């Protein structure tokens, strides 16, 4: 085999069956391309003995990196603002910088390559679970990963921080029952992420325990207000019986959508319908009436994820660690009314 000094980028590109510019972008971790193409170029470079900048990058072997990445599918909504604030505060307390990285959810998304190339000390992945291929890229570089409220199961054991979603759903049902409600609507999330399923399951289980056979409609919305508005309008029309209604939505945003459907149906909160959301993001108290909700300690959860990541970066085995921070029901105006149960 020719020596590395004689191997050119053009030779690597020819071996991989791509253009020189594509080979260059693949080796530098830049540009949009499939992970298969990127790895084919790198495999050709390794086979030919071609060295490229960043080839051996990853977590510095001396452990000197003081930088964590927070990876989210999007930023700058009430929930992710809380996540960012909690993670940033905890990272600063630990003398780490925090880098915000967006996960696009497309097959050619190269965020693990970019993270590996800049030598981060670890990754908090919020509301997402990296693919097996992405995790391999990170773990091969010695970069630990902590999951924050993972929506699905991870392909490999990873530490995670969660809240008590099922208990929160049960608390919502208990509160509505204690207010005298005997007809119910529950709006779950679609896609049916792990935490959404747990919230609905907790709510329905509590209904079965306390008021078995009570009229109810279970429906789904796409985690947004508009979809919840449509789902709630349909559920109100379908719910049998008479008397006050208790509505539980798996997020505050979906609860806000339900407010509109309730008003358009000629009903009033809380005189006719009692509403409970989930999250307690900052807008919940500014709805009219203010929204009763299941508070999950979002900032504290993000901070716990960063602290767990710091331990993993220091070499502590955290692979099976699951941290659950408790939810809390926050009663406000949307459930202020109390009724005498019929019968």
């Amino acid at each position: 085999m020719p020596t590395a000094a004689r191997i050119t980028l053009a030779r690597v590109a020819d071996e991989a069956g791509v253009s020189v510019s594509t080979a260059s972008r693949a080796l530098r971790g830049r540009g949009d391309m499939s992970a298969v193409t990127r790895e084919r170029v790198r495999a050709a470079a390794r086979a030919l003995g071609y060295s490229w900048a960043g080839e051996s990058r990853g977590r510095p072997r001396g452990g000197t990196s003081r930088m964590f990445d927070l990876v989210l599918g999007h930023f700058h909504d009430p929930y992710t603002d809380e996540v960012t604030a909690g993670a940033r505060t905890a990272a600063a307390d630990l003398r780490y910088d925090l880098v915000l990285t967006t996960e696009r959810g497309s097959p050619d998304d190269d965020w693990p390559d970019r993270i590996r190339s800049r030598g981060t000390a670890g990754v908090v992945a919020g509301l997402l679970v990296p693919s097996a291929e992405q995790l391999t890229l990170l773990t091969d570089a010695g970069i630990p990963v902590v999951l924050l409220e993972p929506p699905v199961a991870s392909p490999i054991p990873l530490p995670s921080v969660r809240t008590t979603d099922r208990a929160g759903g049960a608390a919502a049902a208990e509160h509505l029952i204690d207010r005298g409600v005997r007809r119910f609507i529950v709006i779950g999330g679609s896609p049916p992420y792990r935490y959404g399923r747990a919230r609905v399951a907790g709510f329905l289980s509590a209904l079965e325990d306390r008021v078995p056979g009570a009229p109810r409609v279970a429906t789904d919305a796409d985690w947004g207000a508009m979809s919840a508005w449509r789902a709630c309008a349909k559920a109100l029309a379908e719910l049998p019986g008479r008397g006050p209604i208790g509505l539980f939505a798996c997020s505050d945003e979906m609860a806000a959508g339900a407010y509109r459907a309730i008003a358009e149906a000629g009903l009033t909160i809380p005189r006719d319908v009692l509403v409970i959301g989930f999250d307690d993001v900052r807008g919940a108290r500014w709805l009219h009436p203010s929204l009763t909700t299941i508070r999950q300690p979002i900032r504290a959860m993000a901070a716990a994820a960063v602290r767990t990541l710091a331990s993993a970066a220091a070499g502590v085995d955290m692979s099976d660690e699951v941290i659950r921070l408790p939810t809390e029901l926050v009663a406000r105006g949307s459930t202020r009314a109390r009724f005498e149960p019929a019968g």
Side-chain angles (χ1 to χ4, degrees), residues 187 224-230 232-233 252-262 287:
I187 304 177
M226 187 68 70
S227 178
W229 161 52
R230 292 191 293 265
C232 181
D252 291 345
E253 185 175 352
M254 290 197 292
Y259 270 47
R260 176 175 172 180
I262 291 164
L287 290 172

Side-chain angles (χ1 to χ4, degrees), residues 68-83:
F68 288 145
D69 272 79
L70 173 63
V71 182
L72 291 166
H74 59 275
F75 290 88
H76 306 311
D77 63 26
Y79 186 95
T80 58
D81 283 351
E82 291 292 296
V83 169

